[in-house]
Every structure is written in structure tokens, then in C-alpha cells.
Amino acid sequence: LPLSVRSSISIGVLPDVYSGGGQDKCRWFEADTLAESIIDLSGLESSSTKSRATNGEKENEPEIFNLVNPKSFSWKNELLPALKAAGLSFKVESWEEWLKKLREEDTEKNPSRKLLGFWEAQGNGTGGESSGVGFETGSSEERSAAMKGTKRAVDGDMVGKMVADWM
């Protein structure tokens, strides 16, 4: 993400969607919250987790948790305006137009160009929540106070802090 946002400095454009598959829904959260959630869910701090036995689960069965922010936000309608409010100046264009402009860039001028293959692969629209597959986070939220209490990345001054760190 930092490199895609930084691409706006040299090409003056960001895409209108999060991926070429048309994804607009973002579910990111802070690394600190992720770390706290992992500790909560691992059971290392027993005061912050429920015993599996009390939930009717067998102790030796593996548990699987989706660690995505349970509170999503829109790339186009929330993040892009927040980036502009944080001081970035760019036009919003289609994914394809953004890729076209990125292809024309020099990697020295625009480090995001180095990830062109990755960005192009995002354009196939398969997988993830853009394909209708969602990530259920109820059990993660139930067992992790950090996960349950997380904020959206576009709320408060988080976007401004991210832009300051990335630039």
C-alpha cells in the first residue's frame, strides 16, 4: 500500500479501486492491533481469552482465525478523500489507466513500478472479498479484545500519520 500511494507523487494518479478485480472494501488495521490480537488468540495471556473447553471445543482441535479488520471501509469513498485531506494531490482514474501510467515510469523515479507484475496480477479479479468470499471474524472478536475494539484505518488521524511515515 505505501508504494501504491507513493506512486501518486510521480504520476499524479491513484486507482479508483483497491485492485483490478474491482475491490473497494478494505479491512486493514494497525500492526500493533494485529500483534495484540495474535497474543490474545494464542492464549499466552489467559486473562484475555476464553478457555476452549468452556466453548465446547476439544483442546486438541486446531483453531483458525481470520485476522482482518472486522470494520471495513471504502477505498474510493473514504480512503482516497482521507489521503487528499492528508495533503496528497492526485487524480482518481481507473485501475487500467493507473497501470498504464505506472508502466511508463522509471523504477528510480517511482519505486512502485518494481511491483508492476504484482499490480497486474491483481487485475484478474479472482479470490478475496471482491469475488463474494468474505472473512468471518466473529470468533476472533469474541476471543480478542484487541480485535473487537479495533478502529478503521480511515478513522481519526491514522491516514495522516501513515502519509507522514510513507513520504
Side-chain angles (χ1 to χ4, degrees):
L1 178 68
L3 284 179
S4 65
V5 171
R6 287 189 67 187
S7 75
S8 70
I9 295 170
S10 62
I11 62 176
V13 172
L14 280 176
D16 62 350
V17 292
Y18 173 54
S19 75
Q23 184 171 340
D24 181 63
K25 187 178 187 181
C26 302
R27 299 184 73 175
W28 317 316
F29 56 100
E30 294 178 272
D32 291 350
T33 303
L34 174 62
E36 287 177 40
S37 298
I38 291 170
I39 290 170
D40 288 349
L41 296 171
S42 71
L44 294 175
E45 292 186 3
S46 60
S47 63
S48 64
T49 60
K50 292 183 179 181
S51 165
R52 293 180 71 197
T54 62
N55 290 337
E57 300 174 30
K58 295 181 183 174
E59 289 290 334
N60 60 351
E61 288 182 10
E63 291 182 277
I64 299 171
F65 298 101
N66 291 313
L67 296 179
V68 295
N69 193 328
K71 301 168 184 113
S72 66
F73 61 91
S74 166
W75 169 272
K76 183 176 183 178
N77 299 320
E78 296 180 276
L79 181 63
L80 294 180
L83 290 170
K84 285 185 176 187
L88 293 180
S89 178
F90 56 88
K91 292 180 187 175
V92 177
E93 295 191 13
S94 71
W95 178 262
E96 294 77 18
E97 188 61 30
W98 178 71
L99 281 178
K100 179 183 172 192
K101 290 185 185 218
L102 196 57
R103 278 186 202 101
E104 297 166 355
E105 285 290 299
D106 180 323
T107 56
E108 292 298 319
K109 185 177 176 186
N110 190 339
S112 189
R113 173 66 171 79
K114 293 176 185 175
L115 294 176
L116 183 60
F118 171 77
W119 302 127
E120 289 173 331
Q122 301 301 305
N124 66 17
T126 60
E129 293 184 279
S130 64
S131 66
V133 175
F135 294 100
E136 188 282 320
T137 60
S139 59
S140 300
E141 290 178 84
E142 182 181 309
R143 298 265 310 271
S144 169
M147 187 82 162
K148 187 174 186 174
T150 190
K151 296 177 182 161
R152 298 176 333 137
V154 294
D155 294 336
D157 62 352
M158 193 178 310
V159 173
K161 287 179 181 178
M162 290 187 296
V163 168
D165 284 347
W166 296 341
M167 302 304 166

